Amino acid sequence: MVQAAVEAQLFGQSSHPVRVGRYAVQGSIGSGGMGSVVRAYDPELQRDVALKLLRAERMGDANTRARLVQEARAMARLAHPNVAMVFEVGEADGHLFVAMELVDGRNLRQWLDEASRPWRPVLTLFEQAGRGLVAAHAKGLIHRDFKPDNVVVDSEGRARVVDFGLAREQGETVVPTEDELEEPEPRPETQAVNLTTTGTLLGTPAYMSPEQWKGEPVDARSDQFSFCVSLWEALCGARPFTEERMGPLMEAVTHGRMTEPRAGAAPRHVFRALQRGLRPDPAERWPDMESLLHELRPRRRGAWLVGGGLVIAGVLGAVGAGALTPEQDPAAACDQERERLDGVWDDEVREAAKRGVASTELAYADDVWRTVSSRLDGYADTWVNEARTQCVADLARTEGTAGGSRRARCLEDARRALAGLSGALREADEAVVVDAAHAATRLPDLSACADERRLLSWAEEPTAERRAQLDDAEAALGRARRSLAVLDTAKGASRYEQELLAGRGAAEQAREAAAAGGNRSLEAEASLTLARTLLKVGQKHAAERALIEAMEGAEATGDALTRVRARIYHVYVLGTDRDRTSQAVELGEQSLAQLDGLGQRPLLEARLLGNLATAVARAREPDHARALELHEQAAALLGEQLGEHHPSMISAKLNLGRALTYAGQPDRAVAELRDALERANGAWGRDHPHTARVWGTLGTALSAQGNQDEAEQALRHSLEARERSLGLKHQEVASASFNLASALRRSGRHAEAVEHLRRGLAIRRTLQGEDGSGLIPWLYMIGDSELSRGEHEAGRNALREALSLAETDGASPLDFARVRFGLARATAPTDPVAARLIGEAARDAFKDQGRPRSAEKVEAFLQTLP
């Protein structure tokens, strides 16, 4: 058992190091009702983490398991400087664990107990914790168990809210049972009941809101109540409701019978604000946490920092007599951080960007603006909070400036990226709008600016020469992304090949310039962009090499966002190779967990789900039902984020139609694909490569439906359109040839089918070189069609090569059986004895694979042999 092994190591009863998944356990942090928390090391990302383990004796409790997973998912949706990050939720030997950011420090209760704290530094840390709650509430989440124990203060004075184990969507009701409300066993009257211990009640009783006691629906105002209890206690040394037994405590809380605040503990306006936040009726409290935090701020400028990080009032006061003047107050500088976004993302810029997007008059412009503006608003707020925190930390730092310099560069890089995107939106055209939501997901990860380990991987301040090289790299990267975006517009139909060449050249230039400038993170981003262009020209092997370079560079610099984005494309590359689909599925599942740790990123999740679905459908033992479910999930996410008219929804419908065809539902598939084709014609035009893909998939569905004439027309148009836009030697031209040949074979037109198959096979050989993987279906179909039209020698040659590839490169049992049956038929005219041996092997393989009809066909053939 994992828990037992961990405990044995921690208590010195085992000399063997314990691993939980890939994590190596190093020491204990603490334990509670849900389980234990240990320090561990992640060798893959080379960082320390905190692992939360579910107690072994509670593993049979399905509700407990669900709550632990819910905690991880709730926290993973938050990306904020004042909320501890979750990296992964997983299972090892049947035991659940959550890998979280390891925050070195102590909890807020311990910080309060260390010394008698003036009210200003106390308010500073609670302001930060309150900011974390504001961020959670903005995501529709509530904490339900806010208290000083669930706030960690790190070595630089930053407060982070932790332990969202009781988080629920807003408005959800959890009614405590009688057992949950039962008082503890009676104790001697002289011994008080410790109400700060979390029991089975969902929430810590001493800090619970009236609605939690009553089992009524809760929302953000419940967290506000718990926050006010906690701050009151921190300022006064006692909570506003002092009863120590559950019954009297519940009575006092639900009726609002609170004590008077300790005189002089804090200014009167602070307690007036807290008293309103503690009212029994949620409607009478502050409308939200933001309003409460605003009301708690000092009435005049003081020596404490609003929304900042490290408390410095006491430190500075110790070295100088008297209070600081406004001119000396560092808070004045740190409170001006939002002004650094003037002209980057302020009200005026926001309105100009909105006008720019609307001016394109695209059907999906409003939906894109809704998603992009919301994300940029949140990004700007997080940037300001991060900049304030770093500003205060830099002012308080007495030694070493390298870390501060790197943080400043990190924030400046993010500010420049935000300025670039907002500027593009103001001058938007179709290419900008179609890519805007995806571009917002590519903005630099602001959590990196607070990650000391990641910042240490950065080079020192670049020289003027290197700065120029990095500017060139960023400009080239922008051109490459622009070319990729143009491909998704109507203009791309006539410029597809030129934009692909331009995009590839710009991406290669960006990679070289970033390497010369010594910025490996930027080099990784350029490699990822290069891989995207290579995939569009059908060069999967070269694309995979670029993706590996991107992942290695991102891992070396701790760039988790770029790393997971590269892995999403790698899932696609692996998933389209039948010999590596199992790797694709494993990588896809891991990437979903890692994506959770980066906060809510639905567009990336939708792409990952679609690529994972491709791998599931193309596996040697395909699961078409699951692939269909994954595609439906991806389409739902895209619809929520981009609306029904965005071109990405055409691709989602295309994938859904393909999955329905594979799942044996051709009628539904044809309906989805006809809708997708109508949209594609409107968005891109009849001859755009994107439209050609829809034509091709529709043709395959029509063929499966039995509508061969219309299927052939659709497949021919798909092939011809791809030849015009992509050239005669493109991977997609080969694929279109294969699909058309399949339809021709169903109509008995084998001579035409062989012509298209041999042409497509030549393209595949040119692109793949010596790599023969993926050629077996081509060779089998050529051999089978040659036999069907009486060309036994040509059929024999193709099938022998297919069998040789199957034996050397590996193939599924069904592929082996099909090739052997074909080869038996081809061999029969000249060597019936060999044909019988090969045919019997094929028959037995079909039986083993549960294909009785195929086995019967082989048996019928064997009966014709002498």
Side-chain angles (χ1 to χ4, degrees):
M1 302 288 282
V2 169
Q3 185 77 31
V6 169
E7 291 175 355
Q9 176 180 319
L10 297 181
F11 292 107
Q13 298 171 359
S14 172
S15 59
H16 301 291
V18 174
R19 287 187 176 274
V20 179
R22 70 173 186 268
Y23 302 96
V25 175
Q26 295 179 327
S28 175
I29 294 176
S31 62
M34 286 287 290
S36 58
V37 182
V38 298
R39 177 189 289 265
Y41 180 71
D42 179 356
E44 184 175 330
L45 296 180
Q46 299 182 352
R47 64 184 174 195
D48 291 328
V49 300
L51 280 187
K52 185 167 187 176
L53 308 171
L54 186 65
R55 285 193 180 281
E57 63 270 19
R58 302 191 65 178
M59 284 304 296
D61 185 344
N63 290 331
T64 299
R65 292 171 65 91
R67 280 173 60 197
L68 187 65
V69 173
Q70 184 177 19
E71 169 185 351
R73 288 176 177 168
M75 292 183 69
R77 291 172 60 184
L78 299 178
H80 190 273
N82 300 121
V83 177
M85 289 185 64
V86 160
F87 302 128
E88 180 183 5
V89 56
E91 190 166 334
D93 296 330
H95 288 64
L96 288 172
F97 67 84
V98 178
M100 301 176 286
E101 175 185 10
L102 179 65
V103 183
D104 284 323
R106 63 281 204 214
N107 67 41
L108 185 51
R109 186 179 302 282
Q110 293 168 330
W111 182 85
L112 290 166
D113 290 343
E114 286 174 353
S116 176
R117 306 285 186 181
W119 65 268
R120 284 190 174 93
V122 170
L123 231 54
T124 294
L125 285 186
F126 270 86
E127 162 104 11
Q128 294 178 45
R131 290 288 168 200
L133 291 178
V134 169
H137 297 164
K139 297 290 186 183
L141 294 168
I142 49 177
H143 191 289
R144 294 183 64 93
D145 194 26
F146 183 88
K147 56 186 177 182
D149 309 74
N150 285 338
V151 178
V152 176
V153 183
D154 69 16
S155 58
E156 288 200 350
R158 184 202 301 267
R160 287 177 173 84
V161 183
V162 300
D163 206 353
F164 275 68
L166 302 176
R168 298 284 196 283
E169 295 291 342
Q170 291 206 31
E172 185 177 345
T173 305
V174 178
V175 181
T177 65
E178 291 184 4
D179 289 340
E180 289 172 334
L181 287 174
E182 186 178 25
E183 293 185 0
E185 292 184 11
R187 302 187 181 188
E189 291 299 322
T190 56
Q191 184 177 0
V193 177
N194 182 1
L195 291 173
T196 64
T197 300
T198 305
T200 57
L201 188 65
L202 294 183
T204 305
Y207 302 90
M208 286 194 335
S209 65
E211 52 270 28
Q212 285 176 287
W213 280 107
K214 297 175 182 178
E216 296 174 348
V218 298
D219 58 23
R221 293 168 299 184
S222 300
D223 280 351
Q224 180 187 140
F225 185 97
S226 301
F227 177 91
C228 289
V229 173
S230 301
L231 179 53
W232 185 299
E233 179 185 28
L235 294 171
C236 297
R239 291 183 292 273
F241 308 100
T242 57
E243 288 76 4
E244 295 180 336
R245 295 186 63 81
M246 280 196 174
L249 175 61
M250 177 180 178
E251 186 76 12
V253 169
T254 55
H255 288 82
R257 292 200 297 268
M258 66 187 79
T259 61
E260 289 296 318
R262 180 170 58 85
R268 283 180 295 177
H269 81 273
V270 171
F271 286 106
R272 283 197 299 268
L274 294 180
Q275 285 167 338
R276 178 172 172 179
L278 292 169
R279 291 178 183 174
D281 184 354
E284 296 180 358
R285 299 175 202 153
W286 296 100
D288 49 42
M289 278 295 303
E290 185 71 54
S291 301
L292 170 62
L293 295 179
H294 182 270
E295 192 64 24
L296 289 172
R297 292 174 181 171
R299 295 307 193 199
R300 59 182 179 84
R301 191 183 305 276
W304 77 296
L305 304 182
V306 177
L310 192 65
V311 179
I312 64 172
V315 175
L316 295 179
V319 297
L324 294 173
T325 67
E327 291 75 16
Q328 296 172 312
D329 185 6
C334 294
D335 278 346
Q336 305 305 312
E337 293 300 321
R338 184 168 289 277
E339 294 180 6
R340 293 174 61 190
L341 295 186
D342 288 352
V344 173
W345 193 253
D346 53 26
D347 290 342
E348 184 177 343
V349 171
R350 195 179 191 280
E351 285 304 310
K354 183 178 181 179
R355 290 193 299 272
V357 171
S359 69
T360 63
E361 298 183 349
L362 293 164
Y364 49 88
D366 288 345
D367 291 322
V368 166
W369 172 250
R370 170 180 51 81
T371 295
V372 172
S373 60
S374 175
R375 183 157 188 85
L376 297 192
D377 287 345
Y379 192 84
D381 288 342
T382 302
W383 189 94
V384 170
N385 287 334
E386 187 64 33
R388 284 174 174 166
T389 300
Q390 301 303 346
C391 171
V392 177
D394 288 344
L395 288 173
R397 189 174 288 102
T398 58
E399 57 182 48
T401 60
S405 172
R406 290 188 177 98
R407 279 191 292 273
R409 285 164 52 200
C410 180
L411 288 168
E412 179 58 21
D413 286 350
R415 193 185 73 86
R416 288 174 58 188
L418 179 58
L421 180 52
S422 69
L425 292 172
R426 280 177 280 181
E427 304 294 331
D429 61 6
E430 185 180 359
V432 169
V433 177
V434 78
D435 185 55
H438 300 285
T441 70
R442 296 193 297 261
L443 289 171
D445 183 5
L446 288 170
S447 65
C449 300
D451 188 338
E452 290 287 348
R453 294 192 177 194
R454 179 170 172 185
L455 291 173
L456 287 174
S457 71
W458 285 33
E460 293 296 336
E461 187 69 32
T463 62
E465 179 183 3
R466 286 200 163 190
R467 184 67 260 174
Q469 290 167 329
L470 295 179
D471 288 343
D472 288 345
E474 290 175 350
L477 187 58
R479 292 195 301 274
R481 288 171 171 168
R482 168 75 183 181
S483 288
L484 285 169
V486 170
L487 299 181
D488 290 335
T489 68
K491 185 188 296 184
S494 59
R495 297 183 51 83
Y496 208 88
E497 193 170 1
Q498 299 108 296
E499 292 294 348
L500 274 178
L501 289 172
R504 178 175 180 174
E508 289 173 339
Q509 181 184 346
R511 185 170 64 170
E512 292 170 4
N519 188 325
R520 197 167 182 193
S521 183
L522 183 58
E523 183 182 356
E525 181 63 43
S527 293
L528 172 55
T529 305
L530 175 60
R532 291 174 59 202
T533 64
L534 290 169
L535 284 174
K536 287 187 177 292
V537 297
Q539 297 186 20
K540 287 201 296 184
H541 294 289
E544 184 172 14
R545 289 194 296 271
L547 287 172
I548 291 172
E549 292 174 4
M551 289 184 283
E552 289 175 347
E555 184 169 341
T557 57
D559 188 348
L561 178 58
T562 299
R563 181 172 178 268
V564 78
R565 286 171 51 226
R567 293 186 81 169
I568 289 171
Y569 283 97
H570 199 207
V571 170
Y572 170 78
V573 172
L574 295 171
T576 52
D577 182 343
R578 291 191 67 192
D579 292 328
R580 298 193 289 172
T581 52
S582 59
Q583 293 175 250
V585 172
E586 182 179 358
L587 182 64
E589 301 287 3
Q590 292 173 358
S591 300
L592 280 172
Q594 291 167 353
L595 196 56
D596 279 346
L598 293 174
Q600 196 174 16
R601 296 180 184 271
L603 292 179
L604 290 180
E605 184 180 356
R607 185 182 296 278
L608 176 54
L609 289 172
N611 291 349
L612 180 57
T614 297
V616 169
R618 296 197 180 195
R620 295 196 183 280
E621 296 182 3
D623 185 347
H624 295 305
R626 187 184 178 213
L628 179 57
E629 180 183 356
L630 290 169
H631 279 308
E632 287 173 338
Q633 292 175 11
L637 283 171
L638 288 172
E640 291 171 4
Q641 293 297 306
L642 303 176
E644 288 298 318
H645 302 291
H646 194 278
S648 291
M649 286 302 297
I650 304 173
S651 299
K653 283 183 168 289
L654 169 67
N655 291 331
L656 190 56
R658 183 182 293 117
L660 286 165
T661 303
Y662 290 154
Q665 301 181 47
D667 292 342
R668 278 188 62 197
V670 168
E672 287 285 349
L673 291 165
R674 288 195 191 281
D675 182 26
L677 182 59
E678 183 179 353
R679 295 179 184 220
N681 283 327
W684 298 314
R686 181 180 173 84
D687 287 336
H688 195 288
H690 293 349
T691 311
R693 295 181 191 111
V694 184
W695 276 108
T697 308
L698 175 60
T700 301
L702 287 166
S703 182
Q705 194 183 43
N707 191 344
Q708 299 303 330
D709 290 341
E710 191 178 356
E712 183 183 335
Q713 292 175 13
L715 291 166
R716 284 192 186 280
H717 179 77
S718 176
L719 174 59
E720 292 164 1
R722 295 188 206 206
E723 288 174 336
R724 285 192 292 271
S725 58
L726 302 174
L728 300 178
K729 305 221 172 173
H730 194 279
Q731 169 63 44
E732 290 195 32
V733 172
S735 298
S737 298
F738 185 92
N739 292 335
L740 177 56
S742 298
L744 291 169
R745 276 165 47 83
R746 290 191 185 96
S747 299
R749 296 155 67 182
H750 291 284
E752 292 179 74
V754 167
E755 180 183 347
H756 287 290
L757 285 168
R758 290 196 180 279
R759 183 180 165 213
L761 179 60
I763 297 172
R764 289 290 298 266
R765 289 189 192 279
T766 300
L767 294 176
Q768 294 185 202
E770 296 299 319
D771 184 3
S773 62
L775 300 185
I776 295 172
W778 291 81
L779 291 165
Y780 167 74
M781 287 176 60
I782 289 172
D784 187 68
S785 285
E786 293 284 22
L787 291 179
S788 297
R789 68 191 189 112
E791 299 290 339
H792 286 81
E793 184 177 357
R796 223 174 7 252
N797 292 337
L799 290 163
R800 280 174 177 164
E801 184 180 357
L803 184 60
S804 176
L805 286 174
E807 290 171 342
T808 56
D809 294 346
S812 71
L814 283 175
D815 281 342
F816 265 116
R818 293 188 186 103
V819 172
R820 282 180 173 135
F821 181 33
L823 190 56
R825 290 164 51 215
T827 306
T830 58
D831 192 347
V833 175
R836 179 173 293 280
L837 291 173
I838 298 170
E840 288 173 348
R843 177 197 60 196
D844 295 342
F846 278 130
K847 286 181 178 179
D848 291 342
Q849 294 301 309
R851 299 296 178 97
R853 293 180 60 184
S854 297
E856 289 170 5
K857 287 181 181 180
V858 181
E859 184 62 41
F861 160 76
L862 292 172
Q863 295 301 320
T864 67
L865 296 176

